[in-house]
Amino acid sequence: MTDSLRTAVRQAVDLVPDLGTWWLALALAPLLLAAVTLLAAGRWGEEPGYRSVRTVSVGAAILSAVGVAGTSLHRPRLELPWIDGLGVWLRLGADGLSIPLLLLTALVGVVAVSLHLHVPQPHRPEAPDEEGIATTSPIPVVRGTDVPGLATYHACLLLVVLGALVAFLAGDAILFFVGLELVLVPMWVLVARYGDPGARREGAALRFLLVTVVGSTLMLVGLLGVATLVGTSDLSVWAAQGGAGLEPRTQVVLAAILLLGLGIKVPVFPLHTWLPWVHSTAPTAASVLLAAVLLKLGTYGMVRLVVPVVPDGFSALAPVLGGLGTVGIIWASLACLVEEDLKRLVAWSSVAHLGFVVLGLSTGTQTGLQAALFGNVAHGLISALLFVVVGGLKHRWGDARFTVARAALRETTPHLGAALVLGMAASMGLPGLAGFWAEIGAIYSAWAPADDRPDGWFRLFAALAAVGGALAVAYSARVLHEVWSGDRLEPRVPDAVRTERYALRTLGALVLAVGVLPMLLLAVTAPVTELVVGR
Amino acid sequence: MTLDLNLLATLPVLVPLLAAVVVLVVDAAVPGRRQPHLWLTAAGLLGGALAVLPGLAQPAGDARGAFCLATGQCLYTADRLTSVLQLTALAAAGVVLALAWGDWGGPSRTGRAPVVAALVLGATAGAAAVPAAGDLGTLLVALELATLPAVGLVALADPRWPAERRARSTEGAVALLMTSLVSFGLVALGAALWVAATGTALLSLPTTRDPVLLLLASVFILAGLGFKLSAVPFHAWTPVTYTTAPLPVTTYLATVSKAAALGAAVVLVRALGEVDETALLAVALMAALSMTVGNLVALVQVDTVRLLAWSTVAQAGWVLLPLASLSSRAVHAAGSYLVVYVLGTLLAFAVVVAVAETRGHDGGGAGTSLDAHAGLLRRRPLLALPLGLALLTLAGLPPAVVGLVAKVVALRPVAGDGTWWLAVVAALNVALGIAVYVRWLARVLGPAPVGAPEPVRVGAAGGGAAGAPARSGAGTDDEVRPAGGEPQGEAAPPHTPARVWVVVAVLTLLVVVWSISPVGIV
Amino acid sequence: MSVVDWPDLTWSDLQLPSLPALPQISIPGLSVPDFWGAPMQWLVLVPALAALAGITLSGRSNRLAAWIAVGGGIVTWLASLWQLRVLLAVDGHHASGSVGPLPLGELDVPLGLAVTWPLALVAATVATVALVVQVYSRWYLWYDPKYPAFAATVSVFTAAMLLTVVADDVILLVVGWEVMGWCSYLLIGHHSTKTAARRAALKALVVTRTADVGFVLGMVMLAAGARTTSVSGIVEHWAAEAPTRGLVLALVLVVVGVAGKSATFPFQDWLPDAMEGPTPASALIHAATMVAAGTVVLVHLFDLLAVTGPARVLLALLASVTLLGGAVMAFAQADLKRLLAWSTVSQVALMLAVLAAATPHTGPDAAAEHLVAHAWFKALLFLATGWLAVLVGGTAMTTVASGARRYRVLRRRFAWGLLALAGVPPFVGFFSKELILGTAESAATGSGGLASVVVLSAVGASAPLTAAYCMRAWLVLDRPTQIEQHAVTYQQEPVERIDDFFDEPQVVHEAEGLERAESAISSSARSGTTLLAAMTLLGSLVALLPVWRVDVHLNLQLLVATLLLMVVAALAVRLAARGVRTRDAAARIPARASLAAERGLGADYAYRLLVATPVVALARAVTWFDREVLDAWVRGAGAGSRLLGQAGELLTPRRATPALALVLGGVLVLAALGVVSR
Amino acid sequence: MIRPALPYLLVAVLAGLGVYGILARRHAVLVLIGVELLLGAAGLLLVTVGQTTTATDPAAATSGQVLTLFVITIAAAEVVLALALILALFRARGHVDLHADLDPREEAAR
């Protein structure tokens, strides 16, 4: 059965024409063009209506997704000289490491762009209401309307996706860095201008910007150090050299700087404090992109820029990194147990999940690496799903606190409820859903780390990570207990609108598919991880 | 002793100087004219810039020398980097001229135009000469040629200004002058020590030398240059002078003078760099201090010019940063960074000038405050977008990729060298710097302050709103309400002259093109 | 010493003559194209697909959902039968693949499936019970708008249990294990508008998942040692060497996990609370799936367990305590469903106990057989209870009193179920329990050691206790009523039977008597219970099939002694019940004790005090620390740079002289630095 | 070769006096004189160095003297400008006190 299926798939794939580097152009150009068009359109003359804005941006995102799919299929490589003086080339191309993340980015990009922007309501502190929630509170609008600045909003979203795609496609360290930086300003605008007005959005946006800039600049310092020592910033050369010719001490320093920088972006405990606040402030689509794509840049960077490049340095620091990842798991899960804001809770859970990813990475085994890469994509899908739900809920409720009395989702908004259940189940690492393989893989690989890792410590990490898994169940169940189930029917809020439903279904189906058929992803990443670990 | 004059190579310096002479002659012949002097200035700057071009075209490693000794050492050497710095200085001076055209060309009883024109030409010629200096004498003369006319420019405020304001600009000039005098004293002492240490006034090190004396000499000279770069701790004049000088002159100080100072630093570091790590430590310390102090103080400023002044201090640190390493790329990196910095600063100043002019040019205060920029994007998108690009260039953030590349270039020698502490300080300062510029940018993108006078919209931005009855609030957080329905007495609608638009457009185009394809960096 | 010369029997003497060999039937599954795969693949795939289809296709239609769920159940059941036939043909061991192998680097993850005789029977039992439950729940939740979700969850539950049964890979074991835990959460909390149900669901999930930390770690350790996740590979690897500390630790951890899922002490308290779920869900959880999964997993790993002393002792102690404690608690419950729940606690502990007691010589089959037997009668009892609850409006002992008299159609079902539970011949429970006794005894006298002895005594002691609470339940259910006399003369006209499985049942408020009881239930659900009732008897034959490869001496002395004890216990209960209005022997228990028993002896309080409260306190501490210490650095950096900026602004010289001083000072510092560092 | 200690000592004294003048005086002209002292020290140093290095390096022998001329010329130019500015300051403010605040920060930061 599987063989015939495989043949059929291969034949279908053969039908797709090989456009060479035009695939890359298709992946990137629509985003750029649409973003520029929208920026210009939003600036002069009559602001375009929401329909045309949405059409343009969703169309661009879909086109780009097609381009990304073609790129993943044919894996074209583009090499153009770019900055002569630095020896930086415009090297774009996809490999097994980046393809899953590219596809994730393209998909999440489409989802994020198609979500409706909700008019940020002026924050009004609710008077304590003895009769519970006033039933006369207006039912929020959840469909698209003419929001001021909608065109700019969409342009920013597209730019974020563009930057992430560039970073994932980059075959040059400096280009990767440029992609990383490219997302910052649009993200800042998204949070500062379209964020939750009640949460000091400017402060949150600024903090996001500054903290991540510190991270990426530290990373840049490390990159430049490596580039100078290796003599090029070509990532394939870096990986091929595998740290040969770099002294161990230098490697340790470089790895420390790189990991510190990337650790802020991931974020790794104790550098995580910026994340919950930003998430609780950002508009839904920005949260989705932030969690599903931007955090991945950090872990991807670790796999791409640290593990194969300065292997000795990495293995020297791996116990620390693994330990921090583990502490992050426990820490964030505990925080989730008492967190009262739903969006912050999901953000915290991201910290925990990325803790698993980091733990897997730090083990230095192929199993760990595979689990980490899997966890990257899995977390992307899960967090995107959860943020779509939670963002929608926040808009409907007026804020994201879930400890006050709300209508039970299961009774009033079954679609959102089902998506929340799916997301929470995946988030707790339920087998059959995407999160499981990353979790079990990380725990396993921590129990059986590479030979040069301290066994005892890593086994402790494995045990703690397993405890973290149990805590994840506790907080997920808590959320479901408070939000999903219950007997309240008031205040009524509308269920998921069409775009939300499509988005949730797509993400949910992928969460399930990846969970049931993990080798869809593992097979893609396996050759690369073998190279990375095997050196 | 034979001296091989090769005056052709010195044309970038000579042409502006000749133009200055011509200006003075013309003024003597035909007094009272204003515009011709400015045109002459423009021609002189343009001629200088054209004369640089052959220097740019020469292959790396070659140099055009003039006044060469029999030993082959030249007192004037212009290689490609030097030419780039010269071109930067000349072009920046041209931009400043365009910005100041209305000011300098305005009617004046004292015949200000020719004086100013001659000063600009002289200072620019000095700035062009500094990077090419091959010996201490040339360096000293060129430095002072670049500095003293600039002091004059600061002092020669617009006669239309109120007396108090002019008095302040005189104070600013005094501050600048006093610091420059002391610095010159130090440089002169340093030069003397240099001669004592090496036995020669040439800026190429002989093999026999006294290391301690050489170190002292280099520190003294560095201090003098630090003053011109406004590096900490020689920066104290910067905020005073920047805020009191006329805006175009401030622009001049922030760009042309910086090019000159960097040229001198490059000359010095080239002479010292390969051998003397201790001097490099001094450079590193200055760089780190400048960045940190500049950014920190810039963070709390409420006036755009003061903010730019402190940002200049911080950027001086960035310019010095690559020089703190032994890498052969260092001087080129510093040069590249300087070019990008000048570009960004020019653009920012151009917009600040334009905004200040529309706010009624009373010579400072309200027109340049950060509040004047609030909501600029809604009011004047054609100014706000270039300003945004300029700020992002200075901050080093995409979409102004060129700024980012500049940061990369500046960091690279340090990171490659393994001077980690400095690299980490620099990395932290990237964030600090971004905080500085983003604070401004947020005002530009954000809502206009309620009650602010509604300026007339320019460009195509549907300008019918100003006189219309109060619009409904309709959920726009960026609503600018006409203050009290009163026309606010802005009888003369602020008008941004075409030359400013041209300058803004050209600079913006440069930023954009360089962002897409950063050719010629390093 | 004995007066009577008991014949010396072995278990094989009791077994049926071997089945006529069926080798002439060519099994298509082995030669036909790959598409048909192996039946064990379908066992897992079909219910999973049914669940997916039920969720996605049925929309709001309960009818369509029921078709899908029941259809899936039927196909699954057929697959389980097909599996049996294949197994017959291939001599007892059949392996296959699933979605693997996974490219996980150093770790070999084949994700294989395999099935052997006892487990194939378990699978068949699970499939049957699941089918009956599906049919039954269609009736039970007729009006429930959430029925499609319920049916789909039951399907997933079935798939997960079947996966656990046929898995030959520890990862798959974990998969099935965790999915079951999640499904139990959904099922228990099905009535999510009820606070108690929500709480019970939460508790079930959190308690079992906490114990699963041990399970997962144990499995990971096993796999890490063997560098493979294949169960056969693991057993081969670890059995090759003497038991190491690693193996002991791994198995102890696995035992902890099993204890959680099987509601063994100290994790027992979630199960009685889980009675808040709909009755079909309880039947499924208690009879065939969730709680039995621990037994299945330990059967998979039996070869390792049997050689690991500490893990066996731990299991034996936990199971014995639970076995006796559960039986005692069952006796004291004032609610029929909770009584059954505690009896499940006790019975599952019995399975685990015999696993602890068994030696490689005796094998684990007694546990598997009791699992099968228990599935039949416990499902029957639960479904009958649910039926009765619909008729009388509750499951409290006072409410269900006389139930079996008033609704005579239930009488036989309750009677057979309770008899089987008590282990009375010739019901299925008798055989499995005797097998357990025999296993324990031969292990205790053989090489079983401390664990076997503990288990033997506990099993012996549990028999009368079980009999006692069965008797108590029966006495209450079978209490004669005044109305009963009327029932004879009541209702002679033909009643309207519901023949169509998909017709709406009548709501019976005041149903009295046989016919009304029948008319309250759909005929398919009713025949499901009939099938289960039949199996409590016919299951004995299954228990006597020669596929149970056990070599156990039956000690007839022991057997008779046990039976005698049971009779004595039953009589004692009968005596105690005399004079009580409800005929409830538990009424003799002091009120405080019975109240405490109903509350699970404060286990819930203990959980909260020992686990939940400290964890939450820790969480609060963590968030405080995060906010006030970790984040303070970041905030402080912001505020600090602002302050420093202000300070810098203030310190910047505003006069010419200090500015010049700064210049000169700077030179001095730089020069000094140069000289010093040279 | 004898070490010309006296000139060096004089250089040090001149430089010290210059620094003192710069730091301690508030009258602009006096500060200017301090700067001139500093420059004088530099010139003296140059001359001295030029004298002492004559023997060793004839090619660069004249450097010191030539540089001295440069310094003197530049200093003269500076003085002209400085005096002009000081005059302007006096006209504008009525004093030439360098201890007065130069920085109009309060108004700007208002």
Side-chain angles (χ1 to χ4, degrees), chain D residues 42-69:
Chain D
L44 185 56
L45 184 57
L46 278 170
V47 171
T48 318
V49 168
Q51 284 301 322
T52 51
T53 52
T54 311
T56 56
D57 189 356
T62 47
S63 294
Q65 283 88 335
V66 173
L67 270 183
T68 317
L69 289 179

Side-chain angles (χ1 to χ4, degrees), chain B residues 29 49 69 95 108 143 170 172 177 227 252-253 272 282 288 380-381 392 457 471:
Chain B
L69 300 174
V95 170
S108 142
L143 262 180
T170 309
L177 179 77
F227 140 74
Y252 189 88
L253 291 177
L272 284 174
R380 308 191 59 184
L392 290 178
R457 293 173 181 233
R471 286 175 287 173

Side-chain angles (χ1 to χ4, degrees), chain B residues 225-410:
Chain B
L225 301 180
F227 140 74
K228 269 201 88 76
L229 264 177
S230 51
V232 174
F234 313 109
H235 65 288
W237 61 276
T238 317
V240 184
T241 312
Y242 274 35
T243 34
T244 53
L247 272 180
V249 176
T250 309
T251 317
Y252 189 88
L253 291 177
T255 53
V256 184
S257 296
K258 289 293 180 306
L262 180 77
V266 165
V267 165
L268 186 70
V269 168
R270 268 186 179 164
L272 284 174
E274 297 114 33
V275 287
D276 199 345
E277 291 186 37
T278 324
L280 296 184
L281 183 63
V283 174
L285 211 60
M286 269 164 70
L289 269 178
S290 298
M291 277 184 209
T292 316
V293 172
N295 279 328
L296 281 176
V297 182
L299 202 55
V300 294
Q301 299 303 323
V302 291
D303 183 273
T304 51
V305 178
R306 286 184 73 86
L307 194 152
L308 278 173
W310 283 104
S311 112
T312 311
V313 174
Q315 300 283 355
W318 276 99
V319 172
L320 283 177
L321 180 68
L323 298 181
S325 82
L326 282 174
S327 160
S328 60
R329 295 200 193 91
V331 287
H332 291 97
S336 301
Y337 191 90
L338 183 90
V339 172
V340 175
Y341 154 77
V342 166
L343 183 62
T345 307
L346 278 178
L347 188 48
F349 265 112
V351 176
V352 168
V353 167
V355 171
E357 276 178 359
T358 57
R359 284 313 195 87
H361 195 32
D362 64 343
T368 57
S369 73
L370 266 184
D371 285 333
H373 286 248
L376 197 64
L377 186 68
R378 315 289 155 74
R379 293 184 284 127
R380 308 191 59 184
L382 281 182
L383 282 182
L385 286 183
L387 179 62
L389 269 182
L391 293 178
L392 290 178
T393 306
L394 291 177
L397 275 181
V401 178
V402 60
L404 182 70
V405 172
K407 289 274 191 293
V408 174
V409 168

Side-chain angles (χ1 to χ4, degrees), chain C residues 21-166:
Chain C
L22 302 169
Q24 58 270 37
I25 305 171
S26 74
I27 301 304
L30 300 179
S31 55
V32 291
D34 188 33
F35 180 76
W36 291 104
M40 64 190 101
Q41 293 171 334
W42 291 101
L43 269 180
V44 181
L45 191 61
V46 169
L49 285 180
L52 196 62
I55 280 288
T56 52
L57 300 181
S58 61
R60 296 188 174 280
S61 162
N62 282 6
R63 172 176 303 235
L64 187 55
W67 273 116
I68 293 171
V70 174
I74 290 173
V75 177
T76 313
W77 184 68
L78 290 175
S80 73
L81 295 188
W82 179 22
Q83 179 65 65
L84 291 180
R85 262 182 62 184
V86 171
L87 215 50
L88 266 182
V90 298
D91 199 24
H93 182 84
H94 184 204
S96 160
S98 66
V99 294
L102 296 184
L104 264 179
E106 297 87 351
L107 179 64
D108 176 35
V109 188
L111 292 188
L113 304 176
V115 71
T116 50
W117 261 116
L119 291 177
L121 285 172
V122 170
T125 313
V126 170
T128 317
V129 172
L131 177 60
V132 171
V133 166
Q134 282 286 15
V135 167
Y136 185 90
S137 56
R138 164 60 178 150
W139 162 74
Y140 192 83
L141 296 171
W142 194 280
Y143 293 110
D144 193 333
K146 295 169 198 153
Y147 168 75
F150 183 86
T153 314
V154 169
S155 295
V156 176
F157 209 142
T158 316
M161 180 64 193
L162 288 171
L163 179 63
T164 311
V165 173
V166 300

Side-chain angles (χ1 to χ4, degrees), chain A residues 1 207 272-273 331 334 337 348 366-367 370 410-411 421 428 430-431 444 447 470 473 477 480 485-486 519, chain C residues 34 99 103-107 146 178 182 185 190 192-193 198 202 209 213 221 224 619 625-626 631 634-635:
Chain A
M1 177 167 66
R207 181 192 269 206
H272 63 276
T273 54
W331 192 269
L334 282 174
L337 280 179
W348 276 115
Q366 200 195 343
T367 316
Q370 285 277 67
R410 194 177 193 196
E411 311 302 323
V421 169
M428 70 168 76
L430 184 70
Y444 171 83
W447 193 270
V473 172
L480 294 182
S485 58
M519 65 282 184
Chain C
D34 188 33
V99 294
L104 264 179
E106 297 87 351
L107 179 64
K146 295 169 198 153
E178 302 278 339
W182 171 251
Y185 169 77
H190 177 73
S192 61
T193 51
R198 276 156 50 204
L202 187 71
R209 194 57 180 74
V213 172
M221 287 171 72
F625 190 85
D626 198 270
D631 197 40
V634 186
R635 272 181 283 138

Side-chain angles (χ1 to χ4, degrees), chain A residues 1-14 517 519-520, chain C residues 34-35 45 99:
Chain A
M1 177 167 66
T2 47
D3 280 343
S4 53
L5 265 178
R6 258 183 218 131
T7 325
V9 167
R10 204 175 304 121
Q11 282 162 353
V13 163
D14 286 343
L517 302 172
M519 65 282 184
L520 287 182
Chain C
D34 188 33
F35 180 76
L45 191 61
V99 294

Side-chain angles (χ1 to χ4, degrees), chain A residues 184 187 191 203-215 260-282 286-287 289-291 294-296 298 344 347-348 350-351 354, chain C residues 626 630-632 634-635:
Chain A
L184 294 182
M187 200 67 198
V191 178
L206 192 62
R207 181 192 269 206
F208 161 78
L209 189 65
L210 295 185
V211 171
T212 46
V213 157
V214 169
L260 188 63
L262 291 165
I264 291 180
K265 296 205 80 113
V266 169
V268 177
F269 176 90
L271 309 170
H272 63 276
T273 54
W274 61 275
L275 189 70
W277 190 19
V278 173
H279 264 308
S280 67
T281 311
S287 284
L289 282 177
L290 179 61
L294 299 198
L295 304 189
K296 304 300 162 301
R344 284 176 66 96
W348 276 115
S350 289
V351 176
L354 290 166
Chain C
D626 198 270
L630 287 184
D631 197 40
V634 186
R635 272 181 283 138

